[in-house]
Amino acid sequence: MNEEWRPTAGRYAVDRNGTLGRVDRRYEGSVYLRPPGGGREWAVPPEELREPTPEEFDQARVLTTPVPAVEQ
């Protein structure tokens, strides 16, 4: 993984439980994540986060990509 990776706003991260989230903000020593596609945020200490694997990042892309409506 990239040694320069940091959990900054807009990036994806994985917490110690293996839960993938998008970094929403940092506040008072915690990083706040939201699930891909939205939902309730949760706080994690930055040292408990890691960069997602390519497979985990693909999962985030699938969960956040809009599906076009099919006209019948």
Side-chain angles (χ1 to χ4, degrees), residues 27-42:
Y27 182 70
E28 293 187 1
S30 292
V31 176
Y32 289 82
L33 303 175
R34 284 193 190 275
R40 177 178 261 171
E41 70 179 8
W42 72 99

Side-chain angles (χ1 to χ4, degrees), residues 5-27 30-52:
W5 182 86
R6 295 182 193 265
T8 56
R11 300 185 92 173
Y12 286 98
V14 179
D15 68 14
R16 70 175 182 271
N17 298 319
T19 306
L20 176 70
R22 186 175 186 130
V23 177
D24 192 39
R25 62 192 166 102
R26 293 181 75 137
Y27 182 70
S30 292
V31 176
Y32 289 82
L33 303 175
R34 284 193 190 275
R40 177 178 261 171
E41 70 179 8
W42 72 99
V44 182
E47 63 273 8
E48 293 182 5
L49 293 172
R50 64 173 173 79
E51 182 176 15

